[in-house]
Amino acid sequence: MNGILNTVIWSLIPISELRGGIPVGVASGLTIFSAFLIAIIANFFVIPIVFFFLDHLHELFLKVSIYNKIFNHYIEKKRGKLEKHIGTKWEFVMLMLFVGIPLPITGAYTGTLLAWFFKVPRKKAYSALSLGILIAGIIVSIVVGLGLKAFGFFIKNHV
């Protein structure tokens, strides 16, 4: 049970998301496939949670100066990566790839924030973000699996 809970928690944390959830799950004793499934399902929940926050609570938080400063700085920093593709035929693909390439601060939280900021239609946003999460989960799972094989090879041949 600890492996499942660890995977869920790490997959919901904004910085790590499933990029942290899958390795933590495997390290906690789950199979790669189990960690993958649990992490992507947990990470899918980020999308409605962030949309709810932005739709209903964001205006209240903007009155807090530190939140306002951080939010505006963050948006300005990230908007250039996606802005030129918004409203074009590449909007869906760019949002999906932005979330799908598992780099720091390119996950479901940032993708949902950018989709909200640029007013991407919700149906399109949910689809692109979900596919991005799935792609990131596959990539991270492959990397974790290859890392385990390499580590196993090293231990087997050098001990």
Side-chain angles (χ1 to χ4, degrees):
M1 184 61 172
N2 275 347
I4 294 170
L5 187 58
N6 287 340
T7 304
V8 168
I9 290 169
W10 279 90
S11 297
L12 291 174
I13 295 173
I15 299 298
S16 68
E17 297 190 41
L18 60 72
R19 293 144 184 80
I22 292 171
V24 165
V26 171
S28 297
L30 298 176
T31 65
I32 291 177
F33 184 72
S34 296
F36 166 80
L37 281 178
I38 294 163
I40 63 165
I41 290 169
N43 209 205
F44 285 149
F45 282 105
V46 166
I47 301 167
I49 291 167
V50 172
F51 272 135
F52 178 84
F53 175 84
L54 292 168
D55 289 341
H56 302 289
L57 302 173
H58 173 66
E59 288 295 322
L60 294 170
F61 277 82
L62 277 177
K63 294 174 184 170
V64 178
S65 63
I66 188 76
Y67 175 85
N68 191 321
K69 185 178 180 180
I70 291 170
F71 180 82
N72 288 323
H73 174 73
Y74 187 74
I75 281 290
E76 287 305 317
K77 190 174 176 182
K78 294 294 175 189
R79 74 188 292 179
K81 292 183 179 188
L82 200 60
E83 188 171 35
K84 61 186 169 209
H85 302 290
I86 296 302
T88 71
K89 64 182 180 177
W90 294 101
E91 177 180 75
F92 181 90
V93 173
M94 291 306 295
L95 187 56
M96 179 186 68
L97 290 176
F98 182 83
V99 174
I101 298 172
L103 296 171
I105 313 177
T106 63
Y109 282 93
T110 305
T112 306
L113 173 64
L114 291 172
W116 175 83
F117 181 80
F118 289 118
K119 296 176 178 46
V120 175
R122 288 290 161 94
K123 207 174 200 180
K124 183 187 275 189
Y126 269 93
S127 297
L129 295 165
S130 296
L131 284 172
I133 289 169
L134 188 61
I135 291 167
I138 291 168
I139 292 169
V140 171
S141 296
I142 289 170
V143 169
V144 168
L146 291 173
L148 288 173
K149 284 193 183 282
F151 186 71
F153 176 79
F154 177 77
I155 295 297
K156 202 183 296 181
N157 292 318
H158 291 80
V159 172

